[in-house]
Amino acid sequence: MTTNLAGKTAVVTGSTSGIGLAIARGFAGAGANIVINGFGNAADIEKERTAIESDFKVKAVYSPADMSKGAEIAEMIALGEKSFGSVDVLVNNAGIQFVSPIEEFPIEKWEAIIAINLSSAFYAIRAAVPGMKKRGWGRIINTASAHSLVASPFKSAYVSAKHGIAGLTKTVALELATHKITCNCISPGYVWTPLVEKQIPDTMKARNLTREQVINDVLLDAQPTKEFVTVDQVAALALFLCSDNAAQITGSNISIDGGWTAE
Ligand code: NAD
């Protein structure tokens, strides 16, 4: 059964690249009007916006909200409601990473990761829930990570933020359980995004390895299938969570990680 989002509006944060872009296009393919968000070159973002409109015959607007700023996040939700009359689906996806031993971890990087990867979801959910409650339907999906379940060294801020978003997901799910609003998080392992792809040539050079060695022994060391998750697989899971068949899935943390967290 396909998911029909015709007449609904989805806000997808961090949708100018990678996973968020695939989710935005996947939801537009199901008929939703879309609020895209994220950083990038203005002309590229406008191209993405118009492509969504022409490929899927829906409407799309761009919110430049910075996910580290609470007031701008509330404006993003208001933009969706003003442009399309409602925000029915909220995907908190924007995220950044920084890797460092804890004693040298730059304080401003800690603050930025907690703000963008965790607090932004709080601000967006807080702003979107009144409208969802009024209409008696909603879907909140948070892009967490395998790092919401397990840790890796040198990623203290990222792992803390992702564990935090898993807790926020459960709390919000319980609060909204009788309102026909579900809240879940998706926890990918390594996803094949431009970000990951760009690291390969440099790592080949730095470690004197072949492309296959970099992929299997460095990047996919933690992933038993030795295959990347694709952005379209994540988008398909997000879309399923919007379907009627997923109405009883709430407060869940759904892994899509090639077996990483089974070990
Ligand atoms: P990406 O770098 O391709 O995309 C990140 C998006 O967030 C971009 O659109 C960027 O502009 C936006 N963004 C960053 N800072 C922002 C800010 N302050 N305000 C607004 N937008 C901002 O990364 P991705 O791989 O697609 O990651 C998306 C999400 O998936 C993140 O939450 C990430 O932690 C999570 N994730 C990614 C992987 C992976 O392997 N790629 C694995 C697990 C979880």
Side-chain angles (χ1 to χ4, degrees):
M1 206 196 296
T2 54
T3 307
N4 184 0
L5 294 179
K8 294 204 158 61
T9 302
V11 173
V12 186
T13 73
S15 48
T16 52
S17 173
I19 295 169
L21 175 56
I23 292 176
R25 289 183 59 83
F27 285 11
N33 293 322
I34 306 290
V35 179
I36 55 171
N37 158 263
F39 295 150
N41 172 286
D44 290 344
I45 294 171
E46 180 55 13
K47 213 162 120 192
E48 176 195 334
R49 192 192 67 75
T50 53
I52 288 174
E53 291 195 335
S54 58
D55 291 351
F56 305 113
K57 313 292 173 243
V58 296
K59 293 279 174 218
V61 293
Y62 169 62
S63 162
D66 180 339
M67 289 301 111
S68 65
K69 305 212 161 75
E72 293 187 22
I73 295 167
E75 277 168 30
M76 172 186 70
I77 300 298
L79 175 71
E81 290 174 339
K82 194 175 126 228
S83 306
F84 305 125
S86 63
V87 169
D88 309 286
V89 180
L90 168 65
V91 183
N92 293 303
N93 168 78
I96 58 167
Q97 174 63 286
F98 192 81
V99 179
S100 162
I102 192 150
E103 67 273 28
E104 291 158 22
F105 209 97
I107 288 165
E108 65 280 8
K109 292 287 184 197
W110 169 274
E111 304 278 0
I113 290 176
I114 297 300
I116 295 164
N117 296 18
L118 175 58
S119 300
S120 67
F122 160 74
Y123 284 109
I125 293 168
R126 187 178 183 281
V129 159
M132 290 179 177
K133 272 188 172 173
K134 210 185 306 163
R135 287 181 297 278
W137 194 91
R139 292 287 188 266
I140 300 167
I141 299 165
N142 300 318
T143 307
S145 162
H147 283 117
S148 74
L149 296 161
V150 297
S152 296
F154 313 122
K155 294 183 176 175
S156 53
Y158 189 86
V159 171
S160 300
K162 294 300 186 182
H163 274 64
I165 208 157
L168 176 66
T169 300
K170 290 195 257 188
T171 308
V172 171
L174 293 180
E175 288 185 32
L176 302 176
T178 57
H179 293 269
K180 301 202 182 307
I181 303 167
T182 68
C183 180
N184 294 287
C185 60
I186 293 177
S187 284
Y190 278 103
V191 185
W192 186 255
T193 63
L195 206 91
V196 171
E197 195 174 1
K198 275 186 217 139
Q199 294 171 25
I200 293 175
D202 285 348
T203 313
M204 285 168 66
K205 233 183 276 168
R207 298 188 182 218
N208 195 25
L209 296 174
T210 66
R211 182 181 165 84
E212 285 64 37
Q213 285 169 322
V214 170
I215 289 175
N216 290 316
D217 303 338
V218 181
L219 294 175
L220 292 180
D221 189 39
Q223 208 142 296
T225 57
K226 301 295 175 205
E227 286 180 24
F228 287 96
V229 181
T230 69
V231 293
D232 289 334
Q233 289 165 344
V234 180
L237 177 55
L239 192 55
F240 173 71
L241 288 173
C242 295
S243 70
D244 290 342
N245 283 333
Q248 293 303 317
I249 302 177
T250 194
S252 292
N253 185 348
I254 303 175
S255 292
I256 174 166
D257 66 4
W260 176 346
T261 52
E263 285 197 305

